[in-house]
Amino acid sequence: MSTFGTHFRVTTFGESHCKGVGCIIDGCPPGLALTEDDIQPQLTRRRPGQSNLTTPRDEKDRTDLFPRPSHADWTYLLKYGLKASSGGGRASARETIGRVAAGAVAEKFLKEAYGTEIIAFVSSVGKIAMPFIEEQNETGVPSEEFVEMLSTVTRETVDAETTRCPDKEISKKMTQRIIEAKEANDSIGGTVTCVIRNVPTGLGEPCFDKLEAKLAHAMLSIPATKAFEIGSGFGGTQVPGHLHNDAWVQKVGRKGQKVLGTKTNFSGGIQGGISNGENIYFRIGFKSPATISQEQKTTSYNGVDGVLATRGRHDPCVVPRATPIVEAMAALVLMDAAMIQLARHSAAALLPPMPDTPLRPAPFVMPVPGGQAIKVDEASKPKTE
Amino acid sequence: MSTFGTHFRVTTFGESHCKGVGCIIDGCPPGLALTEDDIQPQLTRRRPGQSNLTTPRDEKDRTDLFPRPSHADWTYLLKYGLKASSGGGRASARETIGRVAAGAVAEKFLKEAYGTEIIAFVSSVGKIAMPFIEEQNETGVPSEEFVEMLSTVTRETVDAETTRCPDKEISKKMTQRIIEAKEANDSIGGTVTCVIRNVPTGLGEPCFDKLEAKLAHAMLSIPATKAFEIGSGFGGTQVPGHLHNDAWVQKVGRKGQKVLGTKTNFSGGIQGGISNGENIYFRIGFKSPATISQEQKTTSYNGVDGVLATRGRHDPCVVPRATPIVEAMAALVLMDAAMIQLARHSAAALLPPMPDTPLRPAPFVMPVPGGQAIKVDEASKPKTE
Amino acid sequence: MSTFGTHFRVTTFGESHCKGVGCIIDGCPPGLALTEDDIQPQLTRRRPGQSNLTTPRDEKDRTDLFPRPSHADWTYLLKYGLKASSGGGRASARETIGRVAAGAVAEKFLKEAYGTEIIAFVSSVGKIAMPFIEEQNETGVPSEEFVEMLSTVTRETVDAETTRCPDKEISKKMTQRIIEAKEANDSIGGTVTCVIRNVPTGLGEPCFDKLEAKLAHAMLSIPATKAFEIGSGFGGTQVPGHLHNDAWVQKVGRKGQKVLGTKTNFSGGIQGGISNGENIYFRIGFKSPATISQEQKTTSYNGVDGVLATRGRHDPCVVPRATPIVEAMAALVLMDAAMIQLARHSAAALLPPMPDTPLRPAPFVMPVPGGQAIKVDEASKPKTE
Amino acid sequence: MSTFGTHFRVTTFGESHCKGVGCIIDGCPPGLALTEDDIQPQLTRRRPGQSNLTTPRDEKDRTDLFPRPSHADWTYLLKYGLKASSGGGRASARETIGRVAAGAVAEKFLKEAYGTEIIAFVSSVGKIAMPFIEEQNETGVPSEEFVEMLSTVTRETVDAETTRCPDKEISKKMTQRIIEAKEANDSIGGTVTCVIRNVPTGLGEPCFDKLEAKLAHAMLSIPATKAFEIGSGFGGTQVPGHLHNDAWVQKVGRKGQKVLGTKTNFSGGIQGGISNGENIYFRIGFKSPATISQEQKTTSYNGVDGVLATRGRHDPCVVPRATPIVEAMAALVLMDAAMIQLARHSAAALLPPMPDTPLRPAPFVMPVPGGQAIKVDEASKPKTE
């Protein structure tokens, strides 16, 4: 399936070695001012060869007589009965260019409409990890500093480090680890953490299209991903309920108004599949790149044992370049969810008010953390400040 | 969205306290013999109150004046501007009854058509974990015993333990941990691991509907889930490429024929988003249940601080009962992916053969691990032994 | 496919002779007050046996050894390799009960939100036709009286006649024609015309989901339909462009404001696939019912010639009972299109205004015939008076 | 919505005056040999300026201050709050280039897999009509000659006439009619009839996606269409059931085998929404083109009365050039329906046979008119001779 989304639909095209790659966006709201400058920066951040940690591709001289281990060569052959003429075909990470372009458009809408900010950064390389992960097995939950950092990290602080890890000390160690892999003709994996701030409330659909389910789907569709966790994630499974529950508290919004929020945020900004207005944050695991230059014992398509040595230069670690792709997929998920919720809200706003019930916020008010309470029959829209 | 799937479409209905719950299945292949006996066993396995570890629900006397912490009460109110008349509405785990029924139908098809076996079991409760997890931080990858166990575990050995953990020693410790939570009016989370054996090759779609992306989507749509990992998962991100790559080897199938397979299986049976015929295995994190009987400080819908005490009895740990739901969602994902691939394969089988290329298995052969090589222009179907 | 719609999704279930039939509605906007009284009237209008023109069904004694001519018996067997246990299975008109129930919900929303009125009536039975059709071959376009009638016809005037043709003189002739068919153990077809008034502007999507395309899809999915035309339809193909074009004129809305409308309405309220606010009207052809009591020469499943005589009583003409089904399907199409457009509009309303261009109605005004001009950044919704 | 299809998905892009137009095809079965020669012929047949009846476009000098009557200018403005920079934007017939390209691919598959032939031709221009239509009001049903012609007409005989009407006498009159419209700076409408031969049986889905419903949807999405009828259509509503029913008869297939077919074909090859193997035929009404060079009284966007004179040259009649677009949309509908049915059939073929029932063709045989009966557990595919 080359199309993603229901309202804001993105269809990508292009392969690893074909003439062009790109995307069609269908269903973009009218009135969004767009120039190339809205899209190019994220494409630039995704581009290969940005530093000595990510290397220009030169795949032409690898042999084709063996299916590359842990690549899609064999499974595509099983699926289609045909081999792509070269490289990974549609399984190539080059396909993500179209995603990044489309994500930049969605991101601009979310920024202008809600002030939404999406920031992804590298949280671990191999066993070199930001504190969240190191200490996770003691406490089972993200550390306070980590959660605090999620509220302040910017794309600028991320890009200040070649590794795209905003913690300078950890970043140094990560750089060493990547260079070590590079010099050994080896590769190493890592994790990307993504935070979304100023999220409109009410996004996500009951049952099958819970917001975290859509995010997981989007993230696991990025090449080389193997794992996804939201909020406290796997670590949180170890924390008893009385510590894990996020108590409701009154908060003061940016404009001084009172809003309902949560004291902790182990839920990761989503409860019952629906965004509650707190920061959404999640973590994605990327495996060590399958393409390495050392010799590997393997077996050919016809069952002949041999050794595969992929010459040329390849990224020893993909997570730095993966950050704009993660941001793009997050933007696409939120954009689509926002439009579905906008349809519901603005439809509801056209109806006469229902008789009040004690627990119902009269008349269809949309409270948002940090934002002004908005009556939807005036505005029919979720909004953050 | 109450519908899941493209070909084999399941639409569920019903809420936490309504008269009936269930599902509509649309697009089931004709000729599948079905009786209630095909469906009831899994419903029985999901049912509340099966042991002293899972307790009958009696939610009637809880108060409604406070949104329950880490429940969907508040987000549903934000989303719809209305409260469900009682309980969690569509966010209730009771909705999963329809999923389990539909999953049993899909599972029967997969069993009859491919011999596919789907087995989910409890792999951890709190910090009590099967070896896979305990040792993961040392080696970064699943232990050999764990991978071996995935090839042999059966639904019977799982059900032999109340915890649904097939390791008797670990199971005892888990039981103690759950009882401890129960006696403290507290709750505890855990993980479920699921293995799928005899998977047809070629399932999953390029780009956005990779098989692991669909599985992640399906699993994160189950209430209380927070994390998903496939194959080596998060631990695998710490393993360098030369150790992580799954080398190709020739294997001997059940019928004695030679087939191409992988020596290790850190990929978890999926490469480039497409199943390769090895076992698929993944792990899902379930948070500690939000409903606990101890008093919790919280704030009412209108911002008044107070204490919420949910009387009644609730599951202190949901993972044992979650196993049939995980199996059901896995079956729905595979069923739908199989029908999409069957459409492609049988369409391709109608075409005249293309001129041979050196690397192409002549003429559209579908090799399956452990299975007879099958020419699709004879049978137009993926098949396992 | 048993599901219709993208936002407001209806899934029907049930067969010709099974225990229950019905539907699941998914995605209904919250806050729509519903009781059984909103739904029952349309179900009652669809019910068999309402007059001596429509007769109670008693299909039990028909023989099953021959595929019924012009029924779905044979094609379902071809498709599924199985016969429904009795009657027409999912092809039965009984399936439309779920559609009518769901349509009543959609219709209530459209009425409350926009004042939309949907009225279907019988416009011909055999060769007995309202003037629109009789004179069509002279002028090629609907007569002025007919178009005028479309603005005034009500469900009450339609129901005043057993035939559901609001023209009393024509209705009498239709009655005779139907009785003639009944007495001859024969059947006769006819057409249903449907008008939709107070249509929100801007409904329908470019390219593949033009509003008339969705209406045609919906109408041709009703059993026994063979034809669909919108506005001037087939007759209009005979009228030269200078007569057929609908000139723009200023009109005075109900509240006295000036609105842009069309002088004639050969377009049928849709231009370029998008509703323009004028009345939408279209006509559907229903074939003569295939079930008749006279003997018919035919051939058995196994190729043996024979005579099929379907005993029991059947509707000699289905068009009177088809009117609520046509109204239901029209409501489902409009409801879904309205929610898609509401998503777009309310998303656009969140954006800062674009620099004005000469031809753009500042700042995103939604003019509606007969309605007050509404700025969407205030209300983000299409509305009729 | 710029995407059409579920399996064989086509997404078009481009506007009336933009740099490029085209399409993305997603889900094409592997192994279909394709070159430009498979696609160019249909693009050439669609191209403007092929004869003195269809004229090159030169729209640059028309005025933009008035919404063009019966164009999409005004409705797009209502919908988007923005005007396309020039011409009709996505509503332009230029968008159909992508459809024709994709349709050519689908058509090649259908031809190679089933021998399916799709031929569209002009059946009327204004009141000049082939006998089918002229006599329809007498008999209500297609004449015998017309039905006979549907079995023999070829794309070559259609292209032999500039009008694309295969009846030379009628074609002459049509030419005169079009020239008459051209000289009067006027335009004229017409109808296109399309026949599909060698249709696989079993295509179309129950309930909402009946094959005729999908065809109607596809055809009414072509710019300028106003009407669709299948088989006997509107005329057939006047024919009593005992004459309209298509009696089953045994036929002799091309290979001499006995097959079940219908004596007449008023159903148009589809019964209960499912193809029965007989020829599918339908008719589409195209309105007179809205763009004419004579002066037209109209009103500006701001309500000022005026006169619009569109200079430049335009097609006075679009039906000749519409024929490849109709063929393309028919191919896309059939292709998608075929893949859905192939998924069902090949899934069913994997199951053990069910116990025989008297009426069931043992064991899942697919009888096709003119074709060899095929056991699907051998071939799992519908096939025609």
Side-chain angles (χ1 to χ4, degrees), chain A residues 181-217:
Chain A
K182 192 179 165 186
E183 291 177 347
N185 289 330
D186 204 349
S187 66
I188 189 64
T191 62
V192 170
T193 295
C194 182
V195 61
I196 313 177
R197 299 190 292 250
N198 294 331
V199 183
T201 59
L203 304 195
E205 298 297 302
C207 304
F208 295 114
D209 282 355
K210 293 186 168 75
L211 192 57
E212 64 268 48
K214 293 294 284 183
L215 285 169
H217 185 146

Coordinates of all heavy atoms in Angstrom, one line a residue, chain A residues 181-217:
Chain A
A181 N 31.9 1.5 14.9 CA 31.2 0.6 14.0 C 31.7 0.8 12.6 O 31.9 -0.1 11.8 CB 29.7 0.9 14.1
K182 N 31.8 2.1 12.2 CA 32.2 2.5 10.8 C 33.6 1.8 10.5 O 33.8 1.3 9.5 CB 32.3 4.0 10.7 CG 32.4 4.5 9.3 CD 32.5 6.1 9.4 CE 33.0 6.6 8.1 NZ 33.1 8.1 8.2
E183 N 34.5 2.0 11.5 CA 35.9 1.5 11.3 C 35.9 0.0 11.2 O 36.8 -0.6 10.6 CB 36.8 2.1 12.4 CG 37.0 3.6 12.2 CD 37.8 4.2 13.2 OE1 38.1 3.5 14.2 OE2 38.2 5.4 13.0
A184 N 35.0 -0.6 11.9 CA 34.9 -2.1 11.9 C 34.1 -2.6 10.7 O 33.8 -3.8 10.6 CB 34.3 -2.6 13.2
N185 N 33.8 -1.8 9.7 CA 32.9 -2.2 8.6 C 31.6 -2.8 9.2 O 31.1 -3.8 8.6 CB 33.6 -3.1 7.7 CG 34.7 -2.4 6.9 OD1 34.6 -1.2 6.6 ND2 35.8 -3.2 6.6
D186 N 31.2 -2.3 10.3 CA 30.0 -2.9 10.9 C 28.9 -1.8 11.0 O 29.1 -0.7 10.4 CB 30.5 -3.3 12.4 CG 29.6 -4.4 12.9 OD1 28.5 -4.7 12.3 OD2 29.9 -5.0 13.9
S187 N 27.9 -2.1 11.7 CA 26.8 -1.1 11.9 C 26.2 -1.2 13.3 O 26.5 -2.2 14.0 CB 25.7 -1.3 10.8 OG 25.1 -2.6 11.1
I188 N 25.5 -0.2 13.7 CA 24.9 -0.2 15.0 C 23.5 0.4 15.0 O 23.2 1.3 14.2 CB 25.8 0.5 16.1 CG1 25.3 0.2 17.5 CG2 26.0 2.0 15.8 CD1 25.3 -1.2 17.9
G189 N 22.6 -0.1 15.8 CA 21.2 0.4 15.9 C 21.0 1.5 16.9 O 22.0 2.1 17.5
G190 N 19.8 1.9 17.2 CA 19.5 2.9 18.2 C 18.1 3.2 18.3 O 17.2 2.5 17.7
T191 N 17.8 4.2 19.1 CA 16.3 4.6 19.2 C 16.2 6.1 19.0 O 17.1 6.9 19.2 CB 15.8 4.3 20.7 OG1 16.5 5.1 21.6 CG2 15.9 2.8 21.0
V192 N 15.0 6.4 18.5 CA 14.6 7.8 18.3 C 13.4 8.1 19.2 O 12.5 7.2 19.3 CB 14.2 8.1 16.8 CG1 13.6 9.5 16.7 CG2 15.4 8.0 15.9
T193 N 13.5 9.1 20.0 CA 12.3 9.6 20.8 C 11.7 10.8 20.1 O 12.4 11.6 19.6 CB 12.7 9.9 22.2 OG1 13.2 8.7 22.8 CG2 11.6 10.4 23.0
C194 N 10.4 10.8 20.1 CA 9.7 11.9 19.5 C 8.7 12.5 20.5 O 7.9 11.8 21.2 CB 8.9 11.5 18.3 SG 8.1 12.8 17.4
V195 N 8.7 13.9 20.6 CA 7.7 14.5 21.5 C 6.8 15.4 20.6 O 7.3 16.1 19.7 CB 8.4 15.3 22.6 CG1 9.3 16.4 22.1 CG2 7.3 15.9 23.6
I196 N 5.5 15.5 20.9 CA 4.6 16.4 20.2 C 4.0 17.3 21.3 O 3.3 16.8 22.2 CB 3.5 15.6 19.5 CG1 4.2 14.5 18.7 CG2 2.8 16.5 18.5 CD1 3.2 13.6 17.9
R197 N 4.2 18.6 21.1 CA 3.6 19.5 22.1 C 2.5 20.3 21.5 O 2.5 20.5 20.3 CB 4.8 20.5 22.6 CG 5.9 19.7 23.2 CD 6.9 20.7 23.9 NE 7.6 21.4 22.9 CZ 8.9 21.3 22.7 NH1 9.7 20.4 23.3 NH2 9.6 22.1 21.8
N198 N 1.6 20.8 22.3 CA 0.5 21.6 21.9 C -0.4 20.7 21.0 O -0.8 21.1 19.8 CB 0.9 22.9 21.2 CG 1.5 23.9 22.1 OD1 1.2 23.9 23.3 ND2 2.4 24.7 21.6
V199 N -0.7 19.6 21.5 CA -1.6 18.6 20.7 C -3.0 19.0 20.9 O -3.4 19.1 22.1 CB -1.3 17.2 21.2 CG1 -2.1 16.2 20.3 CG2 0.1 16.8 21.2
P200 N -3.8 19.1 19.9 CA -5.2 19.3 20.1 C -5.8 18.1 20.8 O -5.4 17.0 20.6 CB -5.8 19.5 18.7 CG -4.8 19.2 17.7 CD -3.5 19.1 18.5
T201 N -6.8 18.4 21.7 CA -7.4 17.2 22.5 C -8.4 16.5 21.6 O -8.8 17.1 20.6 CB -8.2 17.8 23.7 OG1 -9.2 18.7 23.2 CG2 -7.2 18.5 24.7
G202 N -8.7 15.3 21.9 CA -9.8 14.6 21.2 C -9.4 13.9 20.0 O -10.2 13.3 19.3
L203 N -8.1 13.8 19.7 CA -7.6 13.1 18.5 C -7.5 11.6 18.7 O -7.1 11.2 19.8 CB -6.3 13.7 18.0 CG -6.2 15.2 17.7 CD1 -5.0 15.5 16.9 CD2 -7.5 15.7 17.0
G204 N -7.8 10.9 17.7 CA -7.8 9.4 17.8 C -9.2 8.9 17.8 O -10.1 9.6 18.3
E205 N -9.4 7.7 17.3 CA -10.8 7.1 17.1 C -10.9 5.9 18.0 O -9.9 5.1 18.2 CB -11.0 6.7 15.7 CG -11.0 7.9 14.7 CD -12.1 8.9 15.0 OE1 -13.3 8.6 15.0 OE2 -11.8 10.1 15.3
P206 N -12.1 5.7 18.6 CA -12.3 4.5 19.5 C -11.9 3.2 18.8 O -11.9 3.1 17.6 CB -13.8 4.6 19.8 CG -14.2 5.9 19.5 CD -13.3 6.5 18.4
C207 N -11.7 2.2 19.5 CA -11.5 0.8 19.1 C -10.3 0.6 18.2 O -9.1 0.6 18.7 CB -12.7 0.3 18.3 SG -14.2 0.4 19.4
F208 N -10.4 0.5 16.9 CA -9.3 0.1 16.1 C -8.3 1.2 15.7 O -7.2 0.9 15.3 CB -9.8 -0.6 14.8 CG -10.5 -1.9 15.1 CD1 -11.9 -2.1 14.9 CD2 -9.8 -3.0 15.7 CE1 -12.6 -3.2 15.2 CE2 -10.5 -4.1 16.0 CZ -11.9 -4.3 15.8
D209 N -8.8 2.5 15.7 CA -7.9 3.5 15.2 C -7.5 4.5 16.4 O -7.5 5.7 16.2 CB -8.5 4.3 14.1 CG -8.3 3.6 12.7 OD1 -7.7 2.5 12.7 OD2 -8.9 4.0 11.7
K210 N -7.2 3.9 17.5 CA -6.7 4.6 18.6 C -5.5 5.4 18.2 O -4.7 4.9 17.3 CB -6.3 3.7 19.8 CG -7.5 3.0 20.4 CD -7.1 2.2 21.7 CE -8.3 1.8 22.5 NZ -9.0 0.7 21.9
L211 N -5.2 6.6 18.8 CA -4.1 7.4 18.3 C -2.8 6.7 18.4 O -1.9 6.8 17.4 CB -4.1 8.7 19.0 CG -3.2 9.8 18.4 CD1 -3.6 10.1 16.9 CD2 -3.3 11.1 19.2
E212 N -2.5 6.0 19.5 CA -1.3 5.3 19.6 C -1.1 4.1 18.6 O 0.0 3.8 18.2 CB -1.0 4.8 21.0 CG -2.0 3.7 21.5 CD -3.2 4.3 22.3 OE1 -3.8 5.3 21.7 OE2 -3.5 3.9 23.4
A213 N -2.3 3.5 18.2 CA -2.3 2.5 17.2 C -1.9 3.0 15.8 O -1.1 2.4 15.1 CB -3.6 1.8 17.1
K214 N -2.4 4.2 15.5 CA -2.0 4.8 14.2 C -0.5 5.3 14.2 O 0.1 5.2 13.2 CB -2.9 6.0 14.0 CG -4.4 5.7 13.8 CD -4.6 5.0 12.5 CE -4.6 5.8 11.3 NZ -4.9 5.1 10.0
L215 N -0.1 5.8 15.4 CA 1.3 6.2 15.5 C 2.2 5.0 15.4 O 3.2 5.0 14.7 CB 1.6 6.9 16.8 CG 1.0 8.3 16.9 CD1 1.1 8.8 18.4 CD2 1.8 9.3 16.0
A216 N 1.9 3.9 16.0 CA 2.7 2.7 15.9 C 2.7 2.2 14.5 O 3.8 1.8 14.0 CB 2.1 1.6 16.9
H217 N 1.6 2.2 13.8 CA 1.5 1.7 12.4 C 2.4 2.6 11.6 O 3.2 2.1 10.8 CB 0.0 1.9 12.0 CG -0.2 1.4 10.6 ND1 -1.4 0.9 10.2 CD2 0.5 1.4 9.5 CE1 -1.4 0.5 8.9 NE2 -0.2 0.9 8.5

